[in-house]
Amino acid sequence: MKENSETSKWLDAHYDPVANLYTFSSCIALADLHGDGENKLVVGDLGTGSCNMKLKVYRGTGLMSENTLLDLPTGLVSFLMDQHEPRTPAIAVASGPFIYVYKNLRPYFKFTLPPLEVNALEQDVWNQAREVTTTFEMFSILTCCTFLSELAFVNLHKAQPIRRQTVITCIGTLKKNMADEDAVSCLVICTESKDVYILDPEAFTILSKMSVPSAPTQMDVTGQFDVEFRITVACRNGNIYILRRDSPKPKYCIELSSHPVGLVRMGKSVVVGCAQETLQGFTQKGKKLWTACLPAPVTTMGVMDLPTRGFQAVLVGLANCEVHLYRDKNLISTIKTPDVVTSICFGRYGREDGTLIMTTKGGGLIVKILKRTAVFDDRDSAPGPPLAQSIRLNIPKKTKLYVDQTMRERENAVAMHRAFQMDLSRLRLAAARAYVKALESSLTPMSSSLSEPLKMNAVVQGLGPSFKLTLNIQNTAACRPVMNLAISFLYDESLYSMRTAFFKIPLLVPGLNYPIDTFVECLSDKGISDIIKVFVLREGKSAPLLTAHINMPVSEGLALN
């Protein structure tokens, strides 16, 4: 679509190229933190990657507050943890092995992942190292232990028990027992150790534990914990796994041709952005629905949900400074941005429902508001095959006759192939013989002689009993004329009579069409017809240059009499 038609759908509310916001879509959320009906923007800022990591809260276009984070945030969500009034959500920030919970923008609780089981050999070596008293004995033990390489390290930490800790890779929320927007939600976290935990919203105890075959990188959650839920997890091995209630292992698996870089849910389908510049749609059971090709690599993805209009679409940020809006596989809008977008969030900001918030690679902040008069066309604006091509055909069920025929073909495949090849060879031989015969008898509409290249066609006009027969003869040579030709007609004299049955053509100039007219009179009143043969002859040659067979029509005039 044209850029001017796209910008008319959005109002440019705010753009700050030096906001110093470095984050991803998993670390950005919109929440009514004070219960006043005005949503704030909560961002987990990555800072420089090693320092200046902060939890920032924006109100309108200005920074409202910020809290220092001890480690890089890997995810941020807002959730209601209890039924107490006022109903203000808490903020959960995943960082390393910890979840920091903030209530009223103040630290409220810190959850630590349970430690992993320690290897028995490592535990035994560590216990022996703690009991050793002399440096020489300690060194002899360390020579057989690769992970304890320095003596100073053992002396410094020998009083502490050995532990094995994992880290959080992504975080989400799951409604506890109601689907309402203001219902209590559980925290869902994925870890580097391939585990998925569901936490109680009040006591922060582990309600359920599941596992996947590889380390998760992205996650989407839907449903209710006490009823039924689905957790869609994109993993580092390039597959997507779907977990369900009462099943510690994945229920379905989606194998992708390239690694997933974006994962969102739209209605009952899962939309995945892949590293090979494609956008793919799947059902909840992992069946592929469609594929759309993208002009650039995917940088981030988000969901555009407008419940008041009943409109849902997928926002896809691309590396060519564009944000594409897809509904199923149809591209319905394109937004140009001044820089590459790294995070997208759509929802209610302040008191405006249709607000699109984006951060850029250079640390900029972009805020756009959807116009109330904006209308999105469902037709695909991207070039490619028509929409009807993606509609699935209603294939009928296999009948018993079809199954029997399939079994017969499998059992007699060799014999059937040989018979087919034999029939095909016979057909080719018959066609070759007919072609040679036509050339030898000059039955083709074009001459095979290189010295007299001629082309002829015939036209019969009239209803009868008198017909007008017109022959169109053309010399197809480049520059050489043809001379001393004659045309002769052969016919049944009991059925037809011709005024002139023989013509002489002294000269044929190349490229010109020469019409030759004669009249044919039908003599029979029985309503029958026959063939009139036309020969193009050359003086001194016994074989004709061209031969044409004209199928004469039935004389309707005599039939009426």
Side-chain angles (χ1 to χ4, degrees):
M1 287 188 178
K2 297 181 180 179
E3 187 175 353
N4 55 4
S5 66
E6 292 309 317
T7 53
S8 64
K9 294 182 175 63
W10 300 90
L11 294 174
D12 295 326
H14 178 65
Y15 174 51
D16 183 5
V18 291
N20 291 327
L21 276 180
Y22 302 95
T23 188
F24 301 109
S25 297
S26 59
C27 295
I28 187 170
L30 293 169
D32 183 9
L33 298 178
H34 300 96
D36 54 1
E38 186 174 343
N39 280 19
K40 280 77 174 177
L41 174 64
V42 186
V43 180
D45 188 6
L46 303 178
T48 63
S50 59
C51 60
N52 293 330
M53 291 82 71
K54 293 182 179 181
L55 178 65
K56 296 182 178 180
V57 180
Y58 282 83
R59 179 180 180 180
T61 59
L63 182 63
M64 180 179 172
S65 67
E66 61 180 17
N67 291 315
T68 301
L69 298 176
L70 300 179
D71 202 354
L72 280 173
T74 56
L76 180 149
V77 293
S78 67
F79 70 107
L80 287 168
M81 52 188 300
D82 52 43
Q83 296 284 353
H84 302 323
E85 295 292 341
R87 303 298 305 280
T88 56
I91 301 296
V93 182
S95 181
F98 309 109
I99 296 179
Y100 301 97
V101 180
Y102 293 84
K103 197 76 179 290
N104 297 323
L105 297 180
R106 296 179 181 179
Y108 177 79
F109 186 79
K110 174 183 174 182
F111 172 80
T112 305
L113 287 175
L116 302 178
E117 184 179 355
V118 180
N119 184 277
L121 177 60
E122 295 179 0
Q123 184 67 57
D124 184 58
V125 172
W126 184 255
N127 292 336
Q128 293 184 43
R130 294 171 61 185
E131 297 173 357
V132 172
T133 56
T134 66
T135 304
F136 177 79
E137 292 175 332
M138 185 177 296
F139 181 80
S140 65
I141 294 176
L142 292 177
T143 53
C144 63
C145 184
T146 58
F147 71 96
L148 299 175
S149 58
E150 297 184 4
L151 184 61
F153 179 84
V154 177
N155 284 326
L156 181 62
H157 300 285
K158 65 180 182 179
Q160 301 177 4
I162 189 172
R163 298 181 63 183
R164 180 166 164 246
Q165 191 69 57
T166 185
V167 294
I168 300 172
T169 57
C170 46
I171 186 172
T173 59
L174 172 65
K175 301 295 183 182
K176 183 73 166 61
N177 47 29
M178 291 187 296
D180 299 339
E181 187 177 349
D182 59 348
V184 175
S185 300
C186 304
L187 290 180
V188 183
I189 56 176
C190 298
T191 67
E192 189 71 27
S193 58
K194 311 174 187 178
D195 294 323
V196 179
Y197 295 99
I198 301 178
L199 306 181
D200 183 85
E202 291 184 318
F204 292 100
T205 56
I206 297 175
L207 297 177
S208 178
K209 178 183 177 182
M210 293 166 280
S211 61
V212 289
S214 181
T217 57
Q218 300 178 53
M219 174 179 59
D220 183 88
V221 186
T222 184
Q224 298 133 54
F225 177 76
D226 292 339
V227 184
E228 179 61 43
F229 62 84
R230 281 183 174 88
I231 302 176
T232 307
V233 183
C235 294
R236 201 164 288 145
N237 62 354
N239 295 340
I240 295 177
Y241 301 95
I242 300 175
L243 298 162
R244 298 185 64 179
R245 178 181 170 85
D246 300 328
S247 178
K249 298 292 183 180
K251 186 74 173 178
Y252 306 104
C253 173
I254 303 174
E255 295 184 0
L256 302 175
S257 56
S258 61
H259 280 71
V261 293
L263 172 68
V264 296
R265 176 180 293 274
M266 191 175 69
K268 292 185 177 181
S269 61
V270 178
V271 182
V272 183
C274 296
Q276 61 180 185
E277 300 179 11
T278 58
L279 195 68
Q280 301 181 16
F282 297 89
T283 65
Q284 295 184 123
K285 293 184 178 181
K287 189 174 184 179
K288 190 173 183 179
L289 297 174
W290 49 265
T291 299
C293 296
L294 302 173
V298 178
T299 57
T300 186
M301 291 177 60
V303 175
M304 178 178 174
D305 188 9
L306 278 174
T308 55
R309 301 189 189 183
F311 180 83
Q312 263 195 337
V314 177
L315 292 157
V316 184
L318 303 176
N320 60 351
C321 299
E322 288 183 353
V323 176
H324 286 191
L325 185 63
Y326 284 88
R327 192 166 190 180
D328 291 333
K329 67 176 297 186
N330 301 323
L331 174 63
I332 59 176
S333 178
T334 301
I335 304 172
K336 298 284 187 178
T337 57
D339 195 2
V340 178
V341 173
T342 57
S343 71
I344 291 179
C345 183
F346 182 88
R348 181 182 176 88
Y349 184 42
R351 298 184 182 274
E352 192 64 43
D353 288 332
T355 305
L356 176 62
I357 299 173
M358 299 174 284
T359 63
T360 63
K361 187 177 180 180
L365 175 63
I366 303 173
V367 180
K368 291 180 179 289
I369 298 176
L370 183 67
K371 287 185 177 180
R372 291 176 174 83
T373 58
V375 177
F376 294 99
D377 194 351
D378 282 345
R379 292 180 299 175
D380 192 0
S381 63
L387 180 62
Q389 184 172 321
S390 62
I391 299 176
R392 299 179 61 188
L393 298 177
N394 187 16
I395 302 175
K397 293 183 178 180
K398 296 178 181 178
T399 62
K400 186 177 184 301
L401 178 62
Y402 173 82
V403 175
D404 294 343
Q405 182 72 6
T406 304
M407 296 299 296
R408 186 184 72 84
E409 292 178 359
R410 288 180 180 176
E411 294 172 356
N412 305 288
V414 176
M416 293 176 67
H417 179 71
R418 288 175 179 172
F420 172 77
Q421 292 295 329
M422 180 63 71
D423 293 341
L424 182 61
S425 300
R426 289 175 178 173
L427 178 62
R428 288 173 177 170
L429 179 60
R433 285 175 174 173
Y435 181 66
V436 171
K437 182 179 179 182
L439 291 178
E440 291 176 348
S441 58
S442 301
L443 293 176
T444 58
M446 296 186 68
S447 174
S448 60
S449 174
L450 297 178
S451 59
E452 293 94 3
L454 303 176
K455 182 173 71 173
M456 178 179 65
N457 58 41
V459 178
V460 180
Q461 294 174 314
L463 299 177
S466 296
F467 298 95
K468 182 182 180 181
L469 180 60
T470 303
L471 297 177
N472 296 302
I473 301 178
Q474 185 179 0
N475 179 9
T476 59
C479 58
R480 184 174 62 251
V482 179
M483 296 180 291
N484 301 324
L485 296 181
I487 296 179
S488 176
F489 295 89
L490 181 64
Y491 55 92
D492 188 351
E493 295 182 357
S494 64
L495 289 178
Y496 300 104
S497 67
M498 299 185 69
R499 296 182 184 179
T500 307
F502 185 81
F503 296 89
K504 279 191 174 183
I505 304 176
L507 178 67
L508 284 181
V509 178
L512 295 182
N513 185 38
Y514 289 83
I516 298 174
D517 300 328
T518 186
F519 289 90
V520 180
E521 189 80 17
C522 182
L523 305 176
S524 174
D525 59 352
K526 298 180 180 179
I528 59 176
S529 63
D530 198 5
I531 295 175
I532 295 179
K533 297 180 181 181
V534 183
F535 301 99
V536 179
L537 308 171
R538 177 72 181 270
E539 291 183 4
K541 289 188 176 182
S542 59
L545 299 178
L546 283 178
T547 303
H549 290 186
I550 302 174
N551 293 315
M552 296 298 294
V554 176
S555 178
E556 298 181 6
L558 286 179
L560 291 174
N561 293 332

